[in-house]
Amino acid sequence: MSDGMVIKNASELVTCSGFSARRGAEMSELGIIKDASVIISDGVIRTVGPTEAILSPSEEKRLRDEGTVFVEAEGKAVLPGFVDAHTHLVFGGYREKEYAWRLQGTDYMEIMRRGGGIASTVADTRGASFEQLYESGMRRLDSMLQFGVTTVEAKSGYGLDHDTEIRQLAVSRELDRKHPVDVVSTFLGPHAVPPEYAGDADGFLAFLTDRVLPEVAEQGLAEFCDVFCEKDVFDLAQSRRWLEKASAMGLKPKLHADEIVPMGGTELAASVGAVSADHLLQASDAGITAIAEKGVVAVLLPITAFGLRKPYARAREMIDRGCAVALATDFNPGSCFSESIPLVMALACLSMQMTPEEAVCAMTLNGAAALDRAHRVGSIDPGKQADLIILEFPSYRFIPYHIGVNTVEKVVKRGAVVYDRSCSAISGG
Ligand code: NIG
Ligand code: FE
C-alpha cells in the first residue's frame, strides 16, 4: 500500500515556484501550468507538470496498482497552502465590548490607556489554564485550515509574566504537534508593559531578558522574537535592545513597526536585519527603501487597518520599490478578530492596489519567507512539503473576486486530504 497521492487534471496549477521571497516585479510571476498534475509521496511533492507530460497511461496504472490516491481536480485551480505569517493565535477571553467602543469613536490607543485593549486580554489569558488555551487554539486552527492555511505563526504576548508567557508558547508547541496546521512560535514578550511594571518599560524589559528569555531559548519554545515598537509602548532604543538580546540567544527578529505613529520602526527592522517588519501603515520612504535593500519581508495586515479605520500600508509603492510583500491576518482578540484569508486578499486588491497575482504570491511564497520557510513550503515545487489547496473555481482570480467568501474546497497537508468541504454536508429541509 503506497501513501502516495496524485492531484490530477487541475485546470490551473499555480506553482508560485521559488525557494526565497519574490521581490518587486517578480511577485507577478505565478508560474502557472495549465491542465496540470502533481505527484506526491511520503508527504513530499515529487513531480509537477502538464498531465500529459508526467502521467502517461502506463504510469497512471502503475501508481493506481500501488494504491496511490487520485484526487480529481478538473475545472479547479490548485495552489500552495496559504502561510499566515502574523497571528496572535493563543489567548483567553474576547473583547467584543471594545469593538462597540471603537464604533462610538474611541481610539485603539485610548482604549489601551484606559486599561482595556491588550491589558484586558492579558488578564483573561493569565486566568486561563493550559487546557482552555489549547482547546480554543485547536478550534481556531480548524477554522484557519478551512480557509486554506497550512502554516501559521503564533505570537505570545498576552501573559507578560513568566508563567503565562511560557504557557502560551507551550500551548503553541502542543498545537503544532497535534493539529495538521504547522504552528511557528514567536516570543512577543514586549507586547505591552504589564500593570506590575507600570511606567517602567525598562524594568519590564530587564525582567524579560533576565528571567524569561533564557528559558524560552533553552527550551526551544520560540523560533522568532518580536516587539510592539510604538509610541507609549516600547520606543526605538528599547525595541533595538530587546531584538539584539533575543537574537544573541538565537531567536530571529521580527517587529510590529510603524503601525499607529511613525517611529522609524521600519528603518530599525532593516538595521537589525529582521526577517520581517510587520504592519507598516506609517512606514517612511526611507524605511521602505531600507527594507527593500536589506530584503526584510514587509508583512502587511489589511484587515487591521480596515478594522481600526486607519490608512492602509503603501503596498503598491513598496512593491514598485522592490520590496518583498507578504500578507497575513493579524488574527487577535482586539484590533483584528478575523482569520479570513479571502478578506485579506480582497482588501489587498481593492484598497492597497495590489494585483491578484501579487496577493497570491504574498499569501504563499512570501508568507513562507516571512517565517524563514521558503525553502520548505509556500510553493508547488518538487522537494517541498506537500501542502496544497484545491479551489472550487478554475482560477486563483476567484479568490479576491469572490469578496470575503471562502473558495477553498479541499486542503492537502503533507500529502493527505485534511479538509474536504464536500464531506461537511448541509442537512434538513
Ligand atoms: O498586531 N499592535 C499590537 N498587537 C496586535 C493587537 C493586539 C491586541 O489588540 O490585542 C496587533 O494589532
Ligand atoms: Fe500583531
Side-chain angles (χ1 to χ4, degrees):
M1 197 55 198
S2 124
D3 69 347
M5 173 183 284
V6 173
I7 300 174
K8 194 182 166 197
N9 288 331
S11 62
E12 187 178 273
L13 188 71
V14 184
T15 65
C16 300
S17 181
F19 293 82
S20 59
R22 285 181 176 269
R23 300 191 198 187
E26 297 167 1
M27 286 183 64
S28 305
E29 296 154 26
L30 292 182
I32 291 172
I33 310 173
K34 295 276 183 199
D35 302 317
S37 296
V38 184
I39 303 176
I40 295 163
S41 67
D42 298 320
V44 175
I45 297 166
R46 304 292 175 185
T47 315
V48 177
T51 307
E52 270 190 10
I54 66 165
L55 212 58
S56 65
S58 61
E59 177 65 358
E60 178 164 344
K61 180 173 182 316
R62 188 185 70 76
L63 289 167
R64 284 188 188 273
D65 289 347
E66 274 181 3
T68 297
V69 173
F70 275 66
V71 177
E72 183 57 49
E74 200 179 339
K76 298 173 193 306
V78 174
L79 289 86
F82 295 130
V83 178
D84 189 347
H86 182 135
T87 87
H88 305 251
L89 173 71
V90 177
F91 56 83
Y94 289 97
R95 295 187 352 229
E96 72 287 355
K97 293 195 186 78
E98 191 180 297
Y99 181 77
W101 299 340
R102 288 212 311 268
L103 293 182
Q104 287 156 11
T106 316
D107 186 60
Y108 177 73
M109 293 306 277
E110 178 55 32
I111 290 172
M112 196 156 148
R113 276 190 288 275
R114 289 187 201 167
I118 294 173
S120 99
T121 300
V122 168
D124 288 337
T125 307
R126 287 179 177 182
S129 66
F130 182 97
E131 290 69 29
Q132 286 168 329
L133 295 173
Y134 174 78
E135 271 314 310
S136 56
M138 286 296 267
R139 300 291 75 79
R140 290 169 195 158
L141 287 173
D142 288 347
S143 173
M144 289 170 170
L145 179 70
Q146 293 176 26
F147 281 117
V149 171
T150 47
T151 301
V152 67
E153 186 247 20
K155 299 177 193 295
S156 71
Y158 289 126
L160 312 183
D161 62 16
H162 171 276
D163 291 2
T164 318
E165 285 295 313
I166 299 284
R167 186 157 76 251
Q168 265 193 287
L169 292 170
V171 166
S172 295
R173 178 166 64 186
E174 195 59 12
L175 292 170
D176 179 49
R177 288 177 180 156
K178 297 284 163 56
H179 198 279
V181 173
D182 286 330
V183 180
V184 179
S185 282
T186 296
F187 181 30
L188 173 57
H191 191 198
V193 178
E196 308 83 86
Y197 284 91
D200 184 15
D202 281 330
F204 178 55
L205 278 177
F207 158 77
L208 285 174
T209 311
D210 298 345
R211 302 279 314 282
V212 195
L213 180 61
E215 198 170 321
V216 170
E218 230 159 74
Q219 294 187 23
L221 277 169
E223 184 174 336
F224 294 93
C225 56
D226 196 344
V227 54
F228 189 14
C229 177
E230 185 63 53
K231 183 169 181 285
D232 298 335
V233 192
F234 296 98
D235 65 23
L236 268 187
Q238 290 163 337
S239 301
R240 174 186 287 279
R241 204 179 333 130
W242 165 254
L243 294 173
E244 287 176 349
K245 291 229 163 103
S247 310
M249 304 280 286
L251 278 69
K252 293 172 265 189
K254 288 178 163 287
L255 63 160
H256 282 68
D258 295 322
E259 178 180 355
I260 297 171
V261 175
M263 298 257 298
T266 315
E267 289 88 332
L268 175 64
S271 154
V272 299
V275 177
S276 73
D278 301 33
H279 284 288
L280 310 184
L281 308 192
Q282 301 289 341
S284 69
D285 288 347
I288 292 173
T289 306
I291 58 167
E293 277 169 6
K294 281 284 180 73
V296 177
V297 180
V299 177
L300 307 185
L301 309 159
I303 311 182
T304 308
F306 176 63
L308 296 179
R309 294 185 282 190
K310 302 270 183 204
Y312 291 87
R314 294 185 283 155
R316 183 72 268 138
E317 284 178 67
M318 291 179 192
I319 296 172
D320 291 344
R321 291 211 221 163
C323 284
V325 167
L327 289 165
T329 59
D330 194 20
F331 174 78
N332 74 68
S335 62
C336 182
F337 186 47
S338 177
E339 67 275 40
S340 174
I341 301 296
L343 184 57
V344 168
M345 292 179 65
L347 290 173
C349 295
L350 293 168
S351 299
M352 297 201 303
Q353 290 77 45
M354 288 173 70
T355 64
E357 292 73 26
E358 289 165 346
V360 167
C361 173
M363 228 27 272
T364 56
L365 185 64
N366 283 6
L371 296 181
D372 199 16
R373 271 167 175 65
H375 53 292
R376 225 190 288 172
V377 295
S379 72
I380 306 180
D381 279 308
K384 280 206 181 178
Q385 197 167 290
D387 295 355
L388 303 100
I389 57 181
I390 303 172
L391 303 188
E392 67 173 293
F393 292 107
S395 166
Y396 68 89
R397 291 194 177 89
F398 282 79
I399 306 171
Y401 162 56
H402 205 17
I403 299 174
V405 179
N406 193 12
T407 56
V408 174
E409 196 173 82
K410 287 189 180 66
V411 180
V412 173
K413 180 69 191 174
R414 292 176 199 259
V417 175
V418 288
Y419 170 69
D420 184 347
R421 193 198 299 171
S422 62
C423 296
S424 42
I426 296 170
S427 57

